[in-house]
């Protein structure tokens, strides 16, 4: 099969299982983000792909050729680390040409290739500078140019923006994505930042506890999360606990209709998940379907949107409305809050311990994943 394919890859370190049965395909020419919380196995997976770790089980192939035991230096993969790992005693140009020097490429070709790469990452004017005389963003560009010097078949980046400040991160994410598209190179980026993954990736692999929870385009993952973990880790989400009866979900006495009847037998404990932009304020009528009632506890303006916190009997629900919506919202007043049927996700309810863990892993509080 074309592309980079991982079959049943597992990695254990003594008692610790870092990766469990990973099956993944990284399509040729696409950018895939490995996204997940700290300790979920992202770096281990990237290191196995790079050939810096050996899987305990399973195999890897590139365009149909088994590379499971191929040493890192024979894989022709380029890698950029969190720290950039540049040589401080060499100039920018020498850093970029380094791998070509090691491979015995002649000096003239080396300089020409280094020049092309520095042009590509817009660092040609800094060719003779030392690494210590560069900003974080400039160092990152040099690290990218150096990794691309050998025309890698696969480009691997481990948290490449983590050393940069928030504004520069955003700029570099766009630049890196444009560069990847221009070069059409198969790229895998490790990140724990969902916004970074959504900005850059064709496909996101959401990981948790050594498994891949969901694989899909940024839109798919956001619009159609397949597990509560994915719903809580990507974007914001309100969580409600309910029970299925006749295809509806009851949260206390309130009935919730979904786009299609809930696919669980009567009495099943389930979790409803709703994005804040799919909750809307309405009349405080506790008898209406999909509507909870409670006082507004907090309102905050966050630029283009306004977030309204409503404390219902089922817990806090956050509604996100456009700032252009001038409906008066008064702190302390009781309101209704309706969750739109078509945008409600229904999952089997995890055992209490597992739910806490899921929410904790995503760095969330109460029943709102913000
Ligand atoms: P982070 O975002 O914090 O870098 P990660 O998702 O990249 O985390 P990994 O570094 O892949 O996670 O680690 C996955 C699990 O494997 C963790 O529990 C980690 O402690 C464990 N682990 C990783 N490397 C080793 C090792 N060499 N020896 C023992 N355990 C390890």
């Amino acid at each position: 099969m074309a592309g980079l394919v991982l079959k049943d890859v597992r990695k254990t370190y003594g008692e610790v299982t870092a990766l469990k049965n990973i099956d993944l395909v990284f399509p040729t020419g696409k950018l895939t983000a490995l996204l997940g919380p700290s300790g979920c196995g992202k770096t281990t997976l990237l290191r196995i792909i790079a050939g810096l770790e050996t899987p305990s089980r399973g195999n890897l192939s590139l365009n149909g050729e088994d590379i499971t035991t191929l040493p890192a230096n024979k894989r022709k993969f380029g890698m950029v680390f969190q720290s950039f790992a540049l040589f401080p005693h060499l100039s920018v140009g020498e850093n970029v040409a380094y791998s070509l020097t090691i491979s015995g490429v002649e000096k003239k070709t080396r300089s020409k290739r280094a020049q092309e790469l520095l042009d590509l990452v817009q660092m040609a004017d800094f060719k003779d500078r030392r690494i210590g005389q560069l900003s974080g963003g400039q160092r990152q560009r040099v690290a990218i140019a150096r990794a691309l010097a050998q025309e890698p078949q696969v480009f691997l980046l481990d948290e490449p923006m983590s050393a940069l400040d928030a504004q520069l991160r955003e700029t570099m994410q766009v630049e890196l994505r444009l560069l990847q598209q221009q070069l059409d190179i198969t790229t895998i980026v490790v990140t724990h930042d969902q916004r970074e993954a959504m900005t850059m990736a064709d496909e996101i692999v959401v990981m948790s506890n050594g498994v891949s929870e969901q694989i899909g385009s940024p839109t798919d993952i956001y619009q159609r999360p397949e597990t509560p973990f994915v719903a809580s880790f990507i974007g914001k989400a309100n969580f409600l606990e309910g029970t299925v009866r006749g295809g509806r979900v009851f949260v206390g006495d309130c009935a919730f209709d979904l786009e299609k009847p809930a696919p669980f037998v009567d009495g099943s404990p389930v979790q409803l998940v709703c994005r804040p932009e799919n909750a809307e304020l309405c009349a405080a009528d506790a008898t209406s379907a999909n509507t909870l009632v409670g006082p507004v506890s907090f309102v905050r303006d966050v630029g283009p949107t306004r977030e309204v916190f409503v404390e219902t009997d089922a817990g806090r629900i956050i509604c996100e409305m456009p700032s252009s919506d001038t409906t008066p919202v008064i702190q302390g007043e009781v309101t209704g809050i309706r969750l739109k049927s078509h945008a409600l996700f229904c999952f089997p309810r995890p055992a209490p311990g597992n739910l806490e863990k899921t929410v904790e892993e995503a760095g969330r509080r109460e029943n709102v994943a913000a």
Side-chain angles (χ1 to χ4, degrees):
M1 188 193 276
L4 176 66
V5 181
L6 276 62
K7 277 207 184 117
D8 197 23
V9 167
R10 185 179 173 86
K11 180 70 184 175
T12 52
Y13 296 103
E15 300 284 287
V16 179
T17 303
L19 295 172
K20 306 167 195 160
N21 321 81
I22 298 282
D23 286 299
L24 286 174
V25 177
F26 296 93
T28 304
K30 300 288 181 201
L31 191 150
T32 306
L34 302 179
L35 175 68
S38 184
C40 70
K42 309 178 292 290
T43 296
T44 304
L45 187 57
L46 198 76
R47 289 176 60 80
I48 286 176
I49 292 169
L52 301 171
E53 296 274 0
T54 319
S56 311
R57 195 177 75 194
N59 59 66
L60 290 80
S61 65
L62 182 65
N63 299 328
E65 187 191 333
D66 193 312
I67 58 162
T68 316
T69 54
L70 194 68
N73 60 354
K74 299 266 164 60
R75 290 193 187 192
K76 254 194 129 205
F77 290 3
M79 188 148 181
V80 174
F81 298 92
Q82 286 177 24
S83 59
F84 307 151
L86 295 166
F87 301 117
H89 58 286
L90 299 183
S91 69
V92 165
E94 287 163 343
N95 263 279
V96 174
Y98 179 77
S99 60
L100 302 174
T101 311
I102 297 286
S103 336
V105 175
E106 62 144 3
K107 195 170 175 198
K108 209 168 146 202
T109 314
R110 230 159 54 205
S111 316
K112 184 167 171 281
R113 180 84 186 122
Q115 188 63 48
E116 284 167 4
L117 286 160
L118 288 173
D119 283 339
L120 189 70
V121 297
Q122 297 163 29
M123 284 294 289
D125 292 347
F126 298 84
K127 195 170 116 207
D128 299 319
R129 282 243 191 127
R130 300 270 144 193
I131 298 303
Q133 298 170 318
L134 300 179
S135 71
Q138 291 166 338
R139 284 178 207 205
Q140 194 217 33
R141 284 173 213 215
V142 177
I144 289 170
R146 190 181 63 174
L148 292 174
Q150 281 203 308
E151 298 177 12
Q153 301 189 73
V154 180
F155 190 28
L156 307 173
L157 301 107
D158 188 356
E159 301 271 8
M161 322 283 176
S162 61
L164 310 180
D165 66 50
Q167 211 171 355
L168 187 54
R169 271 178 92 110
E170 297 237 335
T171 311
M172 293 306 293
Q173 285 160 10
V174 175
E175 280 192 19
L176 184 56
R177 172 59 164 162
L178 291 173
L179 183 65
Q180 182 271 332
Q181 285 177 325
Q182 186 185 338
L183 298 175
D184 207 18
I185 182 170
T186 309
T187 302
I188 305 171
V189 180
V190 160
T191 179
H192 63 267
D193 177 345
Q194 49 137 326
R195 199 175 152 86
E196 186 163 294
M198 295 191 83
T199 304
M200 294 168 59
D202 293 292
E203 269 203 337
I204 299 177
V205 177
V206 185
M207 295 180 65
S208 151
N209 286 326
V211 297
S212 106
E213 289 253 338
Q214 188 172 346
I215 305 163
S217 68
T219 312
D220 256 356
I221 299 253
Y222 185 79
Q223 308 277 5
R224 289 172 284 282
E226 287 171 3
T227 66
F229 175 80
V230 173
S232 67
F233 196 74
I234 311 282
K236 299 172 187 170
N238 294 298
F239 285 83
L240 292 169
E241 295 195 356
T243 308
V244 174
R245 221 183 307 145
R248 307 177 96 190
V249 176
F250 284 80
V251 177
D253 291 331
C254 181
F256 284 83
D257 292 315
L258 315 184
E259 194 171 32
K260 291 183 191 154
F264 302 105
V265 295
D266 281 5
S268 302
V270 292
Q271 242 184 333
L272 285 180
V273 180
C274 180
R275 301 276 183 214
E277 66 270 25
N278 293 317
E280 57 189 358
L281 300 185
C282 60
D285 176 4
T287 60
S288 293
N290 292 33
T291 305
L292 294 162
V293 171
V296 173
S297 62
F298 191 67
V299 183
R300 68 173 169 196
D301 274 304
V302 283
T305 58
R306 187 162 40 141
E307 291 178 351
V308 181
F309 292 36
V310 180
E311 306 300 328
T312 76
D313 286 347
R316 175 180 295 164
I317 304 292
I318 296 182
C319 154
E320 189 177 282
M321 51 210 281
S323 292
S324 54
D325 183 337
T326 52
T327 311
V329 182
I330 300 164
Q331 214 165 331
E333 267 194 9
V334 171
T335 180
I337 186 161
R338 183 166 42 229
L339 310 186
K340 295 178 187 168
S341 297
H342 75 272
L344 272 177
F345 311 116
C346 183
F347 302 109
R349 199 184 320 157
N354 289 346
L355 173 61
E356 272 160 32
K357 202 165 164 223
T358 303
V359 173
E360 182 194 308
E361 270 171 355
R364 311 297 190 231
R365 291 223 178 94
E366 301 180 36
N367 72 328
V368 179

